[in-house]
Amino acid sequence: MNQDHLYTSLEPVGNLPNIFLVADGMGGHRGGGYASSCAVETILEEARVCGDKDAAHILTRAIRKANEVIAHRAGEDERFAGMGTTVVAACLDEDVLIAANVGDSRLYVIHEDGIEQVTEDHSLVQEMVKFGGINKEEARFHPNKNIITRAVGLEQELQVDCFIRKLRPGDRVLLCSDGLTDMLEDEQIRQIIDQKKDVRSAAQALVEAANDSGGRDNIAVIVIDPFI
Ligand code: CA
């Protein structure tokens, strides 16, 4: 059962010049798959009609709308109770990247000299990393690594984190679900993307490497080369 959904548009969506989305759902009885696909659809619908000009505002509003729609649906049907989803959303305005996230799906920027995790996970282990106790490597293997502390569809007042980065020539952008990052270290991800000339083969190589390392979960990957 695939609980990950992704979407890309290089064409404008409402006032957004383009959009990239990854959502990783959770919840039994098909709830997880429903929540992540509903999040993608709702974000696109909201972005299309939103009159705001600011990309970070549009993404935030759209993700909050998805939170409302999923929570409402979960309240109507007890089989869907407790369903939710992560969301990582991004758009590129020329060389400026605007990103928003909830949960533990991630956005990275791969520079010529390193890899930067731009989003911060909303997870129990991330809080343990932040407030002491364990390091990032221990977090990857922690038994509670899949417990997230913030999810779309489960919040009264959803807080969405936003990030803005000016990109440099040669930078690439990666959006992914934890099916990738549970299996591969950041440095492995950087090397794989570095070795591939085009984004499509980079994305395929990432999925293959995650599957070769155990592939215990659905793997959603979007690789963007903003300067092509
Ligand atoms: Ca997952």
Side-chain angles (χ1 to χ4, degrees):
M1 187 157 51
N2 189 6
Q3 298 193 318
D4 286 0
H5 280 90
L6 54 77
Y7 185 86
T8 69
S9 173
L10 302 179
E11 302 299 317
V13 177
N15 288 335
L16 296 176
N18 44 56
I19 196 166
F20 307 92
L21 298 168
V22 167
D24 174 2
M26 70 213 77
H29 285 284
R30 298 171 194 274
Y34 178 83
S36 57
S37 71
C38 180
V40 168
E41 279 168 34
T42 307
I43 290 166
L44 292 173
E45 277 166 30
E46 191 65 16
R48 276 184 205 113
V49 301
C50 184
D52 210 313
K53 295 271 189 259
D54 182 285
H57 290 173
I58 298 168
L59 293 175
T60 301
R61 275 178 60 160
I63 294 170
R64 287 208 177 118
K65 181 72 182 179
N67 182 59
E68 278 171 36
V69 171
I70 294 165
H72 182 75
R73 184 79 181 93
E76 282 177 340
D77 186 337
E78 65 181 23
R79 290 173 307 163
F80 286 163
M83 71 174 168
T85 184
T86 73
V87 168
V88 58
C91 82
L92 281 162
D93 188 356
E94 298 187 353
D95 61 350
V96 177
L97 171 80
I98 302 100
N101 83 303
V102 173
D104 65 356
S105 298
R106 294 180 181 170
L107 184 142
Y108 290 89
V109 175
I110 297 91
H111 306 291
E112 276 176 340
D113 56 354
I115 179 166
E116 178 194 2
Q117 183 183 329
V118 174
T119 53
E120 188 172 296
D121 295 350
H122 304 128
S123 67
L124 195 61
V125 288
Q126 174 56 31
E127 289 188 8
M128 291 162 80
V129 170
K130 206 168 168 176
F131 299 110
I134 65 170
N135 64 36
K136 212 180 163 189
E137 204 43 38
E138 287 167 328
R140 277 187 65 228
F141 297 103
H142 197 278
N144 293 332
K145 68 177 162 36
N146 293 320
I147 297 176
I148 63 174
T149 50
R150 211 190 287 178
V152 178
L154 289 168
E155 313 296 325
Q156 290 270 330
E157 283 277 327
L158 181 66
Q159 196 189 334
V160 178
D161 292 351
C162 287
F163 304 87
I164 295 174
R165 289 283 187 284
K166 190 165 165 60
L167 300 175
R168 298 189 303 251
D171 286 350
R172 285 172 166 184
V173 178
L174 167 70
L175 287 79
C176 61
S177 63
D178 66 346
L180 186 78
T181 49
D182 280 355
M183 293 296 131
L184 301 179
E185 289 172 35
D186 289 2
E187 181 54 25
Q188 291 174 289
I189 292 172
R190 187 195 68 77
Q191 283 176 9
I192 291 165
I193 291 180
D194 229 33
Q195 283 159 8
K196 299 291 176 186
K197 276 206 167 71
D198 68 291
V199 290
R200 188 174 293 273
S201 48
Q204 272 164 359
L206 287 170
V207 173
E208 277 165 26
N211 275 325
D212 289 347
S213 304
R216 284 191 293 273
D217 196 2
N218 307 136
I219 307 161
V221 169
I222 298 173
V223 184
I224 309 161
D225 195 335
F227 297 98
I228 285 189

